[in-house]
């Protein structure tokens, strides 16, 4: 709900809203575009939440790699690989996302975004393929230790 405030990131990761703003720019939405507005904020919140968990759980990964790993373990391997790869992006449903993402994470993302968990899952399903595709232009996940903020900034050049 902050218009265009660009506060510097505190610590190692940005807040979900800051990450959402960057994702919105990456996805081609400035002001009111659906794919760049609310969906980007929901993705930002999800990746921020996963980034906080991955530092303690997976030791050295990043949120994007952690998310792809979560999706692969829940049976969405083909879709996730298609987003990272250089070919066509396979679709995923909100129901698949809702089953793949841990319930507490989806609840937190939905609450932070002011939507229901199902709405959050649907928005993630709509925007995640494009976001992952744009964050992995070479067809590979970023190296461990690469921040999402740096990846997004690189892609916006």
């Amino acid at each position: 709900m902050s218009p265009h405030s660009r506060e510097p990131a505190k610590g190692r990761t940005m807040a979900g809203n800051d990450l959402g703003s960057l994702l919105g720019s990456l996805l081609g939405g400035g002001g009111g575009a659906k794919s760049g507005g609310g969906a980007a904020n929901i993705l930002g919140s999800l990746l921020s939440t996963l980034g906080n968990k991955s530092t303690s759980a997976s030791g050295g990964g990043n949120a994007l790699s952690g998310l792809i790993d979560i999706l692969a373990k829940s049976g969405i391997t083909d879709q996730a690989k298609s987003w990272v790869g250089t070919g066509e992006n396979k679709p995923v449903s909100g129901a698949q996302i809702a089953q793949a993402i841990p319930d507490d994470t989806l609840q937190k993302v939905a609450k932070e975004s002011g939507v229901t968990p199902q709405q959050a899952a649907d928005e993630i399903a709509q925007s995640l393929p494009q976001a992952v595709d744009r964050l992995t232009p070479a067809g590979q996940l970023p190296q461990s230790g690469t921040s999402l903020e740096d990846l997004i900034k690189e892609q916006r050049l």
Side-chain angles (χ1 to χ4, degrees), residues 8-31:
K10 295 176 177 78
R12 298 178 84 191
T13 60
M14 300 176 113
N17 287 341
D18 291 339
L19 189 53
S21 295
L22 284 175
L23 284 167
S25 298
L26 179 72
L27 294 172

Side-chain angles (χ1 to χ4, degrees), residues 87-101:
E88 185 178 335
N89 294 328
K90 294 181 181 179
V92 65
S93 71
Q96 288 173 302
I97 293 294
Q99 284 192 333
I101 296 174

Side-chain angles (χ1 to χ4, degrees), residues 45-125:
S45 180
L46 173 64
L47 292 169
S48 179
T49 300
L50 290 174
N52 291 338
K53 286 184 176 183
S54 73
T55 30
S56 57
S58 66
N62 62 39
L64 184 59
S65 297
L67 177 58
I68 297 299
D69 191 45
I70 287 170
L71 297 175
K73 287 178 181 175
S74 67
I76 308 177
T77 306
D78 289 341
Q79 289 96 323
K81 283 183 180 178
S82 77
W83 310 334
V84 173
T86 56
E88 185 178 335
N89 294 328
K90 294 181 181 179
V92 65
S93 71
Q96 288 173 302
I97 293 294
Q99 284 192 333
I101 296 174
D103 191 52
D104 62 327
T105 300
L106 191 57
Q107 293 283 341
K108 181 178 182 191
V109 167
K111 184 177 181 180
E112 288 176 359
S113 304
V115 298
T116 68
Q118 187 56 53
Q119 288 171 317
D122 290 342
E123 289 287 346
I124 291 165

